[in-house]
Amino acid sequence: MKRELKKIKKGIIFLLVPVFLIGCFPKRDTTRDFQRLEFVELEPIEVPEYTRRELKNGMIVYLMEDRTLPLIHFKALIKTGSIWDPQDKAGLCDITFEVIRTGGGGQRTGNEIDMKLERVGAQIEAGADRDMGWVCGFSLKDNFNEIFSVFGDILRNPLFDQAKIELAKIKIRGLIARRNDNIEELANREFRRLIYGRDNPYARIVEYKTIEKITRNDLVLFYNNFFHPNNIVLGLWGDFESEEMLKKVESIFGDWEPREIQFPEKPIIEQEPIASFNLVIRKEATQSAIRMGHLGIRRDHPDYFASIVLSKILGAGWHSRFGRRLRTEEGLAYEVWAWQTAEFDYPGLFIATAQTSLGRTIEAITLMKREIELIRQKEVSYEELKVGKESILNAAVFWFDTKDEIIERLMRYEYYGYPLDYIKRLIEGIKEVTKNDILRVARAHLKPDKLTILVVGNPEFFDKPLSSLGEVRLLDISIPQ
Amino acid sequence: MMGLLLKPVAYNKQVMAKAERFLTGFICVVFIIFIALADHCLAYKDYQERVTEHTLKNGIRLIILSDHSAPVVSFQVHVDVGAVNERVGETGIAHLLEHLAFNGTQVIGTKNWKDEKKALAKLDRIHKKLLMAKAEGENTQRLEEEFEEARLAADRFTRTNEFGQILERAGAIGPGAYISYDFTCYWVELPSNKVQLWALLESDRLLNSVARGFYQELKVVKEERRMLVDNSPWGRLWEEFRAIAYKAHPYGNPIIGHMSDLENMTRDKIRSFYEKHYTPCNIIVAIVGDVEPERLIPKMEKYFGRFPVKDRPPSVITVEPVQASERKVTVEIKAEPILIIGYHTFKATHPDRPMLRIVAEILGGGRTSRLYERLVKKEKVAIDVGSWSWAPKYPGMFYLWGMASKGHTNQEVERLIYEEIERLKKELVNVTELEGAKARVRTEFIRGLKSRRGIARELAWYEAVTGDWRNMFKELEKVEKVSEEDIKRVVNNYFFSQNRVVGMVEPKL
């Protein structure tokens, strides 16, 4: 299924400025000549050949040959996620994926698997986030057969050794104890909870008591619910011959029995955006971490393409209004940006963030908010639009510069049920965005009057009290013991 | 895990010691015991053979690796200047300069350089007065108003962020930069039809930077300092640790600079530092990607050849004296325990470097490393541990770190780490363990070849610090030759208490 992308347009850059002759230079400086450079057309981007196969048991397999180095990578995506953890057992999905890797598989204990992999420089790792689980790894070509069979054991016959469950709990408890040590992490986490709802599965966090309740039996149940071949997308890429590799995949996974899967309902996000001011007091902070925003859109929303260009103009990169005005001109913060984080399967966030000195906290909030308001008031300039689009489209070659990212992207589309040529639609969609689209999308999806604002810092040193902006809610972030 | 210590930041920039860690990165291994020898060797030999090197007439060194697998190019400009070259009262100057390099030149980023130059000179004069008045403790309100007015007047000539914008618009990943003690690196990745654009802009910025927007950038850097150091347990610990580890050598200074030095920085200091260190013999350019060397080199001569030849700036002469006894520092803050242990070692070209690379792997690499097996799996006193060997331009250190589990302490973690070190001193490691460590290093190297930016970074570093980029590939044989006896010898040689520095974050109740 080869997809050809249309040629990426190349423009000669014309900035409407005269070229200066510099008196202090012995000869004319030619730097400004960049405006006169002409660029040859790049060859059209081609998606490299790949194979997509469905096994009899429903497992989807992607293969892509890459003969440059003697390596083979493999990755299984398992349709699951922490959103389906029982409310009183938050952390179950995380622990399952930790112990599926550490707790042994087939005839080997976890420690034996560690040895086997690390003696030959191979790796297998597992993990999960809110709506995706994965087990992935790599090995040198020579050791591939034995490593791939370990991978098969881990996926098909995990042992869930009790001692490793305890170890995983110790690790998670350690992370809970440390979760307020980094102010930025703290801010990101609490901001999510404000937007999606404190205990909503899309934002909730793991606590000591939810970890405590989890038993080996819960892991086994979780595994039995989701780990079936018809619920897995498998990808392999590297130094192999595809047909031969398919035989190996068949031999490891071919006789795995499929089973119908009852997915629980997806969580509902009920939070309506409302303006609010929230404060976490950190006496020792030398900076305020500021987060503001509200619920965003999904990636399959028709306005997504325009919202990428909007984000680029408003808040991301050298050109953006945030980058230019707030960082460079105001010297407000080292990191200051705004973005729509559209997710594949649930609404993302519109988020603007800054880390600024305590004495400029209210000023920063005011300036950030003002930029969000301004972009809704009138159309962006023709120049901004052109530059924003070119930045994205000219860099699109980097979406295809390694086979790793190409195949992983295809697997993601497969997993979330997006069209396989989605990347092409994305490029076409971005090309067509107009100034009017940007304004329409900014008005539809940015709500400066309904911003949830969070500040983590020491209010004693703020330039003005946060309450001068509105009623302030104090958040309690102490860790329930 | 190191992400906690050193996080990547906006505009793809990495600062502090992040670079240092990567530097100890890829090492190759020759295959003696593996039958598939030919296959692997081809993999890296092929890379080595595709490298073209060329020195421009003025002394700038080029290292070019052609790779036509995608129409993209990675550029890495390695300038041989870092925090180690700073003088007392000027800490943070190299890093600040790295920021200012993005603010344009006499041509890029200005509407009218002639007038802007005058406006900037006026601004600098007021700033000098302001610093003096502050030092005298006078009332500075009027001067500050005057300063702000002059700053806005100078800003009217600015085209904000033009340098980054031109590249971004051309389809760049980046541009970004990072700095370490030893060097400053400017990187960008572009579609391969933009090579000339890059050459023109990059050479201009290395030659004609004007430190525009200096006073606002100073604010940005102070925020960066607050974010990465003052507001972060790892950052605080790291700074304290280095301060006691090096009492004479500039490796003890914070790369980002002391706040007071930043407060008193001037454009004059920046300019003289720039003119002294940004010289052709200090610049290495590594280019990896879809380029033809024979067509590229004349272009490089045209743009980068414009630099006048200058003298090589002096090296650092201070040598860190041998420690008389163990040094310890504790940072008490509201945070969970963190422990860093360091032993003084050697510089990049030292023959023991490959041995300590393997020791780092045996002690702290992966789930089967001795520290992980003992502290995390068996005794459960730590949730994570690690080690790495930092062998930079001047003598560096071997680091070990640990994060205690809930209810456990730094002291328990520390005691067990010493026990494991003692074991290495007394007993020879077994052969399979050694082979495993070598295999991991080898695979890491081969995986590193997947990244154009990674290769460019390594080639430039080996050229700058060891004098020849080929050492990137020669490291192979050296690591392969490491024996059980070597391990025992180097551990006994460097890992003793008098040579040790210990830093910890202790929770403040």
Side-chain angles (χ1 to χ4, degrees):
Chain A
M1 211 181 76
K2 257 168 125 178
R3 296 274 166 195
E4 279 212 2
L5 289 167
K6 275 195 177 173
K7 290 185 182 184
I8 290 182
K9 264 193 186 163
K10 293 281 160 284
I12 303 165
I13 301 172
F14 288 111
L15 294 178
L16 307 170
V17 288
V19 174
F20 296 111
L21 302 181
I22 311 295
C24 58
F25 257 68
K27 59 175 192 226
R28 190 178 75 86
D29 185 279
T30 55
T31 315
R32 218 64 217 169
D33 288 356
F34 79 86
Q35 292 161 300
R36 289 206 286 271
L37 286 182
E38 298 204 13
F39 304 115
V40 294
E41 287 271 340
L42 287 180
E43 292 291 310
I45 296 172
E46 301 221 358
V47 176
E49 295 224 8
Y50 65 91
T51 306
R52 178 189 180 278
R53 235 14 107 73
E54 184 166 342
L55 304 188
K56 284 195 189 68
N57 57 16
M59 185 186 274
I60 309 282
V61 182
Y62 278 83
L63 300 167
M64 194 178 274
E65 294 176 16
D66 182 357
R67 298 297 177 84
T68 46
L69 292 164
L71 282 169
I72 299 176
H73 284 255
F74 42 87
K75 183 171 198 171
L77 302 180
I78 302 98
K79 195 145 189 66
T80 177
S82 62
I83 54 170
W84 289 314
D85 284 349
Q87 191 70 2
D88 62 339
K89 291 181 179 172
L92 174 60
C93 176
D94 288 350
I95 290 190
T96 306
F97 274 89
E98 171 84 12
V99 182
I100 206 167
R101 164 63 186 84
T102 60
Q107 304 300 312
R108 294 188 189 88
T109 66
N111 289 353
E112 284 167 347
I113 288 178
D114 291 348
M115 283 293 173
K116 186 150 189 70
L117 298 176
E118 295 193 352
R119 287 288 176 263
V120 296
Q123 268 183 31
I124 296 178
E125 290 299 335
D129 61 19
R130 291 181 182 86
D131 65 355
M132 182 188 273
W134 61 87
V135 181
C136 61
F138 61 84
S139 90
L140 289 171
K141 183 185 173 181
D142 307 333
N143 320 108
F144 175 75
N145 287 345
E146 48 178 333
I147 301 302
F148 195 55
S149 81
V150 172
F151 175 70
D153 285 339
I154 284 176
L155 276 173
R156 293 189 59 175
N157 306 303
L159 304 179
F160 293 128
D161 171 12
Q162 185 65 43
K164 294 295 188 218
I165 295 174
E166 288 313 310
L167 199 61
K169 286 187 177 185
I170 288 171
K171 190 170 158 186
I172 292 183
R173 285 190 202 109
L175 294 172
I176 294 173
R178 291 170 185 272
R179 77 181 178 204
N180 291 338
D181 290 1
N182 179 310
I183 285 188
E184 283 171 83
E185 265 174 61
L186 187 167
N188 292 341
R189 179 189 77 224
E190 292 302 321
F191 182 70
R192 261 193 96 84
R193 297 179 82 190
L194 287 167
I195 301 297
Y196 290 103
R198 242 185 118 64
D199 296 320
N200 186 293
Y202 285 113
R204 72 175 161 210
I205 53 177
V206 176
E207 299 289 2
Y208 294 130
K209 68 173 196 295
T210 66
I211 291 293
E212 222 49 61
K213 284 205 174 108
I214 295 167
T215 63
R216 183 174 183 278
N217 196 35
D218 292 317
L219 271 69
V220 173
L221 280 176
F222 183 96
Y223 175 85
N224 289 338
N225 281 341
F226 299 109
F227 281 70
H228 303 289
N230 45 317
N231 197 33
I232 291 177
V233 180
L234 175 70
L236 289 126
W237 60 101
D239 193 358
F240 56 73
E241 197 281 315
S242 296
E243 284 307 315
E244 203 180 311
M245 182 56 84
L246 265 171
K247 290 195 188 95
K248 274 180 202 166
V249 172
E250 275 286 357
S251 73
I252 300 277
F253 296 110
D255 61 345
W256 195 0
E257 286 294 319
R259 214 186 73 182
E260 192 164 339
I261 297 157
Q262 296 297 325
F263 285 103
E265 285 294 300
K266 269 202 268 171
I268 299 162
I269 299 165
E270 291 166 322
Q271 296 277 101
E272 281 297 314
I274 42 163
S276 71
F277 299 92
N278 308 272
L279 177 64
V280 173
I281 298 175
R282 299 293 279 185
K283 289 270 187 241
E284 69 281 10
T286 55
Q287 258 186 334
S288 287
I290 299 167
R291 303 287 182 272
M292 60 172 68
H294 48 67
L295 202 61
I297 55 172
R298 275 167 52 135
R299 198 171 292 221
D300 52 4
H301 193 292
D303 289 342
Y304 174 60
F305 304 141
S307 87
I308 294 181
V309 184
L310 168 64
S311 289
K312 192 86 190 157
I313 295 170
L314 176 67
W318 292 100
H319 288 285
S320 70
R321 295 177 178 189
F322 269 58
R324 268 196 337 248
R325 297 178 186 172
L326 305 183
R327 177 175 152 140
T328 310
E329 289 172 11
E330 291 290 339
L332 193 65
Y334 177 57
E335 274 198 65
V336 54
W337 51 268
W339 194 256
Q340 277 273 12
T341 68
E343 304 285 349
F344 280 94
D345 212 28
Y346 64 95
L349 295 169
F350 167 69
I351 179 170
T353 99
Q355 258 84 236
T356 190
S357 54
L358 298 166
R360 298 185 77 183
T361 303
I362 308 300
E363 181 194 358
I365 291 172
T366 314
L367 287 169
M368 289 159 80
K369 196 171 161 182
R370 191 176 147 67
E371 291 301 338
I372 299 168
E373 280 163 356
L374 280 175
I375 209 153
R376 296 173 81 255
Q377 282 168 11
K378 64 177 201 244
E379 287 189 344
V380 297
S381 71
Y382 175 71
E383 180 69 9
E384 276 182 310
L385 176 76
K386 196 162 168 331
V387 165
K389 281 164 74 172
E390 280 180 13
S391 301
I392 301 168
L393 294 170
N394 284 338
V397 288
F398 289 100
W399 299 341
F400 301 88
D401 72 334
T402 65
K403 290 189 174 175
D404 307 50
E405 59 194 337
I406 297 171
I407 188 169
E408 291 207 47
R409 191 164 53 229
L410 288 168
M411 289 167 66
R412 254 196 320 272
Y413 293 158
E414 176 82 49
Y415 180 94
Y416 287 113
Y418 276 55
L420 288 182
D421 66 346
Y422 183 76
I423 192 87
K424 186 182 159 194
R425 299 181 194 200
L426 179 71
I427 290 171
E428 293 304 317
I430 287 170
K431 277 183 191 166
E432 280 160 22
V433 172
T434 64
K435 285 197 298 187
N436 190 282
D437 290 332
I438 301 265
L439 188 63
R440 183 179 53 77
V441 168
R443 285 181 177 163
H445 302 293
L446 302 183
K447 308 179 179 78
D449 55 339
K450 291 186 178 165
L451 290 171
T452 294
I453 296 178
L454 169 69
V455 180
V456 181
N458 184 351
E460 282 173 51
F461 300 101
F462 289 177
D463 37 345
K464 281 186 202 152
L466 189 56
S467 55
S468 62
L469 301 174
E471 192 190 340
V472 178
R473 277 193 303 192
L474 277 184
L475 299 188
D476 176 15
I477 52 146
S478 57
I479 301 167
Q481 291 304 313
Chain B
M1 160 54 240
M2 287 304 291
L4 276 178
L5 228 186
L6 321 150
K7 46 182 294 302
V9 286
Y11 300 72
N12 295 321
K13 260 191 37 144
Q14 295 154 346
V15 283
M16 293 189 43
K18 186 161 189 112
E20 301 169 6
R21 162 129 218 253
F22 290 147
L23 294 183
T24 50
F26 310 120
I27 297 177
C28 286
V29 182
V30 158
F31 299 64
I32 289 176
I33 45 168
F34 279 71
I35 300 160
L37 179 76
D39 212 11
H40 299 296
C41 278
L42 269 182
Y44 93 84
K45 273 272 185 302
D46 172 49
Y47 279 79
Q48 190 170 340
E49 276 157 16
R50 281 189 276 135
V51 174
T52 307
E53 58 178 338
H54 178 84
T55 304
L56 300 182
K57 291 188 189 78
N58 58 9
I60 292 180
R61 284 168 282 171
L62 309 181
I63 308 167
I64 303 161
L65 173 67
S66 299
D67 162 13
H68 303 298
S69 60
V72 296
V73 192
S74 260
F75 299 98
Q76 180 96 10
V77 174
H78 184 111
V79 187
D80 204 9
V81 58
V84 78
N85 305 97
E86 294 164 351
R87 292 182 307 207
V88 175
E90 290 183 354
T91 59
I93 197 168
H95 171 244
L96 193 58
L97 188 50
E98 175 241 299
H99 274 242
L100 291 167
F102 288 86
N103 286 1
T105 65
Q106 303 177 1
V107 192
I108 302 291
T110 184
K111 294 172 188 165
N112 175 347
W113 173 238
K114 218 165 148 183
D115 293 349
E116 186 185 21
K117 198 174 167 185
K118 286 182 200 146
L120 285 172
K122 183 181 170 188
L123 180 63
D124 291 343
R125 281 197 300 277
I126 300 171
H127 182 247
K128 262 196 192 119
K129 278 189 209 162
L130 192 58
L131 283 184
M132 270 160 60
K134 273 185 183 162
E136 300 292 326
E138 295 165 15
N139 183 337
T140 55
Q141 198 190 333
R142 242 201 59 218
L143 270 173
E144 280 182 38
E145 284 164 13
E146 213 179 312
F147 173 81
E148 199 52 24
E149 210 173 299
R151 188 179 69 76
L152 291 171
D155 271 358
R156 278 198 279 276
F157 298 105
T158 303
R159 291 175 196 284
T160 310
N161 291 359
E162 190 182 20
F163 177 86
Q165 286 186 17
I166 298 165
L167 288 168
E168 192 175 24
R169 182 175 192 167
I173 303 293
Y178 56 91
I179 183 158
S180 82
Y181 283 97
D182 295 342
F183 57 80
T184 313
C185 269
Y186 299 95
W187 64 267
V188 64
E189 300 188 87
L190 281 162
S192 56
N193 58 350
K194 304 292 196 323
V195 173
Q196 190 171 356
L197 175 71
W198 166 82
L200 186 153
L201 291 172
E202 188 67 84
S203 60
D204 181 51
R205 129 162 113 168
L206 288 172
L207 191 62
N208 299 319
S209 185
V210 294
R212 162 182 303 116
F214 166 77
Y215 300 101
Q216 293 304 80
E217 206 60 42
L218 206 48
K219 289 184 189 167
V220 171
V221 169
K222 285 183 199 166
E223 292 310 328
E224 187 180 358
R225 186 189 152 82
R226 289 187 185 108
M227 186 173 103
L228 295 172
V229 182
D230 307 340
N231 231 3
S232 145
W234 277 98
R236 288 275 298 280
L237 175 59
W238 203 228
E239 192 166 287
E240 294 300 321
F241 181 95
R242 301 202 70 104
I244 62 161
Y246 291 94
K247 67 175 193 181
H249 195 274
Y251 277 167
N253 294 333
I255 294 174
I256 201 159
H258 294 294
M259 203 51 115
S260 54
D261 287 357
L262 294 175
E263 301 273 2
N264 290 292
M265 196 60 75
T266 65
R267 270 180 83 237
D268 283 351
K269 289 182 189 172
I270 295 269
R271 187 187 323 282
S272 62
F273 190 84
Y274 174 69
E275 282 172 1
K276 186 162 141 194
H277 292 283
Y278 279 60
T279 67
C281 56
N282 253 1
I283 294 173
I284 295 165
V285 184
I287 300 172
V288 177
D290 182 24
V291 290
E292 300 294 349
E294 58 278 9
R295 288 174 49 201
L296 177 64
I297 290 169
K299 278 199 186 97
M300 296 297 290
E301 275 293 358
K302 175 181 169 185
Y303 293 110
F304 286 79
R306 298 179 298 165
F307 283 67
V309 178
K310 279 192 210 162
D311 290 344
R312 180 178 290 280
S315 304
V316 175
I317 48 174
T318 309
V319 176
E320 182 67 20
V322 173
Q323 257 181 225
S325 63
E326 182 184 39
R327 297 176 190 164
K328 285 200 163 190
V329 65
T330 302
V331 179
E332 278 198 19
I333 39 179
K334 218 169 130 181
E336 287 289 295
I338 304 174
L339 171 75
I340 301 178
I341 297 167
Y343 293 96
H344 288 280
T345 55
F346 41 67
K347 58 185 185 183
T349 48
H350 194 283
D352 287 349
R353 192 174 108 114
M355 287 115 193
L356 277 195
R357 174 78 177 85
I358 291 290
V359 171
E361 199 56 52
I362 288 172
L363 273 175
R367 296 171 196 260
T368 55
S369 73
R370 292 189 171 200
L371 296 181
Y372 197 89
E373 287 278 2
R374 178 85 191 275
L375 280 78
V376 180
K377 283 185 185 171
K378 191 162 163 249
E379 312 268 359
K380 303 182 176 59
V381 301
I383 57 166
D384 208 354
V385 288
S387 62
W388 82 99
S389 166
W390 178 57
K393 199 155 117 188
Y394 304 99
M397 295 185 96
F398 186 95
Y399 295 112
L400 305 111
W401 55 267
M403 294 160 80
S405 354
K406 185 171 181 269
H408 290 277
T409 63
N410 282 322
Q411 289 68 28
E412 290 172 276
V413 174
E414 188 183 12
R415 186 175 56 80
L416 290 178
I417 288 178
Y418 296 157
E419 277 184 22
E420 285 307 316
I421 287 175
E422 284 309 307
R423 208 154 68 86
L424 268 185
K425 283 177 162 178
K426 291 196 180 81
E427 306 158 15
L428 289 177
V429 296
N430 69 45
V431 179
T432 47
E433 196 177 8
L434 182 60
E435 290 310 327
K438 288 178 184 177
R440 293 200 294 279
V441 170
R442 175 188 312 142
T443 319
E444 192 184 341
F445 176 80
I446 292 175
R447 290 185 77 223
L449 294 173
K450 281 178 105 80
S451 154
R452 293 177 192 85
R453 202 194 308 172
I455 300 172
R457 188 182 57 219
E458 294 298 308
L459 286 170
W461 184 81
Y462 275 95
E463 178 71 21
V465 177
T466 72
D468 187 353
W469 59 265
R470 287 176 192 79
N471 287 327
M472 172 177 170
F473 299 98
K474 281 186 187 151
E475 205 92 10
L476 266 167
E477 300 130 57
K478 294 178 191 164
V479 168
E480 191 51 48
K481 285 188 187 127
V482 174
S483 68
E484 302 91 310
E485 288 79 14
D486 287 332
I487 302 282
K488 194 172 164 182
R489 178 182 59 81
V490 294
V491 172
N492 278 289
N493 217 350
Y494 301 103
F495 295 10
F496 54 95
S497 64
Q498 186 195 321
N499 190 33
R500 186 162 64 209
V501 182
V502 182
M504 44 185 91
V505 166
E506 285 283 344
K508 190 158 115 190
L509 301 170

